[in-house]
Amino acid sequence: MVFPDHSHYAIPKRSNAALLLSAVSRLGGGALVAFMFIWTIWSSFNPTPITRTLSALAETSHTNLGRHDSPERNIYDDPNLSYALGSSPPMKGWNEKRQEWLKQHPSLAPGAPTRIVMVTGSQPGPCKNPIGDHLLLKLFKNKVDYCRSHGIDIFYNNALLHPQMFSFWAKMAAVRAAMLAHPEAEWIWWVDSDAAFTDMDFLPPPLPPPQHGRVFLLRNSQWALDFLDMWASMGPQSPDYAKWGQTLSSVFKDKIFPESDDQSGLIYLYLKEKWGEKIYVEDEYYFEGYWLEIVPTFENITARYMEIERNVGTLRRRHAEKVSEGYARVWEEQLKGKEDLRRPFITHFTGCQPCTGNHNRMYSGDSCSDAMIKALAFADNQVLKNYGFMHPDLHDPSTVIPLPFDYPA
């Protein structure tokens, strides 16, 4: 692959403010007092103070619309409201309370039926694995990139919202709190910290409540709150924890450990209880996949997508990131009926444990981290394309090259 020489770039003329900031960074902290003095004199001649300008921009920003709370009383004025899982009294009438809140905030009502808040998180303390925090940061960046591309809000939680609900059980308390904190959102989407989006264009259609234990969508509803309470009753904070471990082990003969776990509990509720009537398990597309099967295919997938781009000029057209969803629809048209060509939507690094390093013994820690780096670079290339760059080697995320015009014609 040959790219034009980009070793020489035209450097745009810098503003006085940029030059001052550059000078301060070179001179160090000793120049800070002098800089502040210069800035104070300079701003005194500026007819529009910078604080007033920023305030005005915030007031008129489209993202700020509807952020002024209604003076009318609502659910948040109830002293009995608790965000905690298993709180007493339990939340009742949440559907009606959400609708009433939306009536008080009419600017947030449009789009509410399809609005999503993604929830993810990690442990409160630093990782034991030397590169664990680095990998979690890259995995978080991947989710932020995906959410930004699709207008999704994201909540990253690294606090135990219930002290006894540790490890995989911690997600339930975070999801419940997010439901109550975001009445404007119809869907709460949990994604594990060790899962990476590897198709940045694809957005699943709105679905009925939850799909998978590690990646699931919950409708923000009274049913979902009740379901979370029931699911959490199988957890370590419950007096029935040991009993549930026995029950789940008797039903699922291949269960590896005797304690109750979230995955077995979810499957049990789906198969054996009334909750299964309103749980939808997605099987129309590959929602998430096992990393050992997916990561080795990235080069072939990239080649197939590039071939499509060579034949469809619209997909090679440069565009602003904000309008990417229109091009994603073109991709959907090109991939219709060709599911074997499609990028895997989510790659899940099951068993890798990037933070603790206590990975499954069937593979090495290096194979886990190397695969994560490759998958994240594969996803990052889809993002960087909108910024005019790409990683030429998926194993080397520190290196990027500029993309030539009309690439890959």
Side-chain angles (χ1 to χ4, degrees):
M1 189 181 302
V2 179
F3 291 89
D5 182 8
H6 292 274
S7 59
H8 302 288
Y9 291 90
I11 301 176
K13 185 177 180 181
R14 303 173 71 185
S15 67
N16 290 338
L19 290 170
L20 277 171
L21 289 171
S22 177
V24 171
S25 66
R26 291 196 301 270
L27 291 172
L32 182 60
V33 175
F35 168 75
M36 291 304 295
F37 175 71
I38 294 169
W39 182 267
T40 302
I41 295 174
W42 186 15
S43 63
S44 68
F45 291 100
N46 187 348
T48 307
I50 189 169
T51 53
R52 190 182 305 166
T53 303
L54 292 175
S55 176
L57 285 172
E59 289 295 325
T60 57
S61 170
H62 75 280
T63 60
N64 195 47
L65 294 176
R67 291 195 177 182
H68 297 290
D69 203 1
S70 168
E72 300 177 62
R73 290 183 60 81
N74 55 46
I75 179 58
Y76 296 106
D77 296 301
D78 182 356
N80 293 318
L81 171 66
S82 174
Y83 296 83
L85 194 62
S87 57
S88 183
M91 169 62 72
K92 294 298 179 186
W94 177 239
N95 295 345
E96 295 75 18
K97 291 168 182 174
R98 271 193 68 219
Q99 291 305 313
E100 185 62 30
W101 187 91
L102 284 169
K103 289 179 182 177
Q104 294 178 1
H105 302 79
S107 63
L108 290 169
T114 57
R115 191 172 292 130
I116 299 171
V117 170
M118 185 179 292
V119 183
T120 185
S122 59
Q123 77 299 321
C127 291
K128 295 179 181 178
N129 183 2
I131 64 168
D133 288 309
H134 173 67
L135 291 173
L136 288 184
L137 177 61
K138 291 176 75 69
L139 286 159
F140 179 50
K141 176 197 177 298
N142 168 263
K143 296 175 180 66
V144 170
D145 283 338
Y146 180 84
C147 288
R148 185 183 67 254
S149 296
H150 295 282
I152 296 173
D153 286 336
I154 185 167
F155 168 49
Y156 189 95
N157 177 57
N158 61 353
L160 278 178
L161 302 186
H162 192 298
Q164 292 176 284
M165 298 192 77
F166 46 83
S167 186
F168 40 73
W169 291 103
K171 66 169 75 72
M172 298 175 194
V175 167
R176 186 184 192 279
M179 291 174 67
L180 297 182
H182 289 277
E184 81 286 358
E186 185 72 12
W187 299 93
I188 305 298
W189 187 358
W190 170 266
V191 181
D192 269 8
S193 61
D194 59 353
F197 287 93
T198 41
D199 187 345
M200 305 301 277
D201 289 329
F202 184 73
L203 181 67
L207 297 168
Q211 303 175 73
H212 305 272
R214 299 189 183 279
V215 177
F216 62 82
L217 280 161
L218 268 176
R219 188 184 291 278
N220 196 350
S221 64
Q222 183 63 53
W223 183 94
L225 289 172
D226 295 340
F227 175 80
L228 283 173
D229 284 339
M230 180 64 217
W231 194 10
S233 71
M234 302 175 166
Q237 85 295 347
S238 169
D240 297 324
Y241 181 53
K243 177 184 173 182
W244 273 115
Q246 296 171 2
T247 299
L248 296 175
S249 295
S250 67
V251 173
F252 305 110
K253 303 299 183 182
D254 58 347
K255 185 168 160 50
I256 298 174
F257 44 88
E259 293 83 11
S260 173
D261 68 280
D262 63 327
Q263 294 281 293
S264 300
L266 177 58
I267 297 171
Y268 180 90
L269 293 175
Y270 173 67
L271 295 174
K272 302 291 186 180
E273 299 281 346
K274 63 176 183 177
W275 306 98
E277 299 172 0
K278 293 188 176 183
I279 296 178
Y280 176 78
V281 179
E282 176 56 56
D283 61 358
E284 294 181 9
Y285 57 85
Y286 203 5
F287 197 82
E288 64 168 334
Y290 184 36
W291 65 275
L292 272 178
E293 300 170 354
I294 291 174
V295 172
T297 68
F298 284 150
E299 285 83 2
N300 288 339
I301 293 172
T302 300
R304 293 199 298 262
Y305 270 67
M306 287 178 67
E307 186 61 31
I308 294 174
E309 286 178 301
R310 289 190 185 100
N311 295 322
V312 182
T314 302
L315 295 174
R316 299 195 305 273
R317 186 187 180 197
R318 291 175 175 174
H319 57 270
E321 187 178 51
K322 278 293 184 183
V323 297
S324 294
E325 288 195 357
Y327 292 85
R329 287 192 288 271
V330 178
W331 272 116
E332 286 301 309
E333 294 169 5
Q334 294 297 317
L335 294 168
K336 191 175 295 183
K338 305 174 184 176
E339 297 306 315
D340 57 322
L341 298 180
R342 188 183 291 275
R343 300 178 188 122
F345 180 37
I346 294 176
T347 301
H348 196 263
F349 290 88
T350 306
C352 278
Q353 302 294 327
C355 190
T356 64
N358 298 327
H359 54 83
N360 191 312
R361 294 181 180 178
M362 67 183 289
Y363 34 77
S364 70
D366 286 344
S367 65
C368 276
S369 59
D370 290 347
M372 284 185 185
I373 289 170
K374 183 178 179 181
L376 291 166
F378 175 78
D380 202 34
N381 269 348
Q382 299 167 48
V383 176
L384 286 177
K385 182 180 178 182
N386 291 326
Y387 294 82
F389 291 88
M390 70 171 289
H391 301 288
D393 181 357
L394 298 183
H395 297 282
D396 180 15
S398 63
T399 301
V400 296
I401 56 176
L403 288 174
F405 182 76
D406 204 32
Y407 179 82

